[in-house]
Amino acid sequence: MSENCTHDCSSCGETCSERENDFRAPLNQYSSVKKVIGIVSGKGGVGKSLVTSLLASEMQKKRHKTAILDADITGPSIPKAFGITEKATGCEFGILPAVSKGGIDIMSINLLLEDDTEPVVWRGPVIAGTVKQFWSDVFWNDEEYMFVDMPPGTGDVPLTVFQSLPVDGIIIVTSPQELVSMIVSKAVKMAKLMDIPILGLVENMSYINCPDCGKQIKIFGESHVEEIAKEYNIKVLDKIPIDPDIASACDKGEIEYLDKTLVPNAVDAILN
Ligand code: ADP
């Protein structure tokens, strides 16, 4: 135990061996999950769920058994992107995740709500408890890679979720209009606190390709993501353009069929 430990892990920043075991939810006894990757962002709407969906789709296309745990309980957009409308079912081993057309196992609060247009107005501990149940009560059948779409921000809820799941690495999603420096610095501090490696950054909405001349137009101005990443010794893995095909694929529930490879370096970083 660290000499600075306050014996209250919820407020103490020290990394003790005890901390690891304190909040971890047990994995369902019939499940097997080899690697857990958390996708984080500073706020909602920057494309965290999109990047989660792309990572899972591109990983599954590489013939790795892939799952998504949608921990964004108050803003679940994963089922929509994959066109999943059915509700969760169960078997003797636990709750069964929905399976996308491409074979990705998916668990989201929308699979449990009777009416998924109803807002989830739960307090932090209930949200964190739900995510723990997604880990413990769902039957995750032989998953090689699980992508966790984290609650946005770096506050109490994402922190508790981090403490509950054995996250092996995180990918930070930013967009050029965000206060990237602050967000990266917060994410880095949170990852350090949790002792989780940062695999790198993905910048979404980096530019638009002009449909006439093909030139990249940086509508939010020059991005400073490279400088900031350098400052924190993190890699910028991929830059995703604003693309009507992406928006349309998400709206139609066909993100898996998007005929573009948008996060190749992030997938490689996870595989290596
Ligand atoms: P977050 O998870 O960060 O809240 P989402 O991934 O749900 O954000 O993205 C919000 C919306 O923006 C989605 O409807 C998605 O289709 C759209 N979107 C995100 N990134 C892009 C992009 N690069 N090009 C076009 N549409 C995008």
Side-chain angles (χ1 to χ4, degrees), residues 44-50 77 204-205 240-243 246-247 250:
V46 298
K48 176 176 54 60
S49 305
L50 170 74
S77 26
N204 186 30
M205 309 191 203
I240 304 174
I242 296 178
D243 181 345
I246 296 178
C250 285

Side-chain angles (χ1 to χ4, degrees), residues 11-15 19 40 153-155 158-159 162-163 170 172 180-198 228 231-234:
S11 57
C12 177
E14 293 301 303
T15 312
R19 169 184 287 282
V40 307
T154 45
L159 194 69
F162 266 122
Q163 287 175 327
I170 62 167
I172 305 171
V180 180
S181 167
M182 193 180 75
I183 282 146
V184 172
S185 123
K186 283 189 183 185
V188 168
K189 280 179 193 150
M190 185 159 87
K192 276 211 178 118
L193 191 72
M194 304 280 97
D195 207 13
I196 300 171
I198 298 173
I228 291 150
E231 194 182 321
Y232 290 99
N233 206 13
I234 309 172

Side-chain angles (χ1 to χ4, degrees), residues 115-193:
D115 175 2
D116 57 24
T117 60
E118 282 292 313
V120 173
V121 284
W122 300 340
R123 293 194 190 278
V126 181
I127 293 176
T130 307
V131 176
K132 280 189 197 185
Q133 281 186 287
F134 285 178
W135 178 250
S136 303
D137 296 350
V138 172
F139 171 43
W140 297 107
N141 190 5
D142 245 337
E143 313 294 356
E144 279 182 81
Y145 293 95
M146 175 184 279
F147 294 95
V148 182
D149 190 0
M150 285 287 181
T154 45
D156 183 49
V157 178
L159 194 69
T160 314
V161 170
F162 266 122
Q163 287 175 327
S164 314
L165 307 180
V167 181
D168 294 293
I170 62 167
I171 301 256
I172 305 171
V173 182
T174 63
S175 63
Q177 79 273 39
E178 271 196 302
L179 298 166
V180 180
S181 167
M182 193 180 75
I183 282 146
V184 172
S185 123
K186 283 189 183 185
V188 168
K189 280 179 193 150
M190 185 159 87
K192 276 211 178 118
L193 191 72

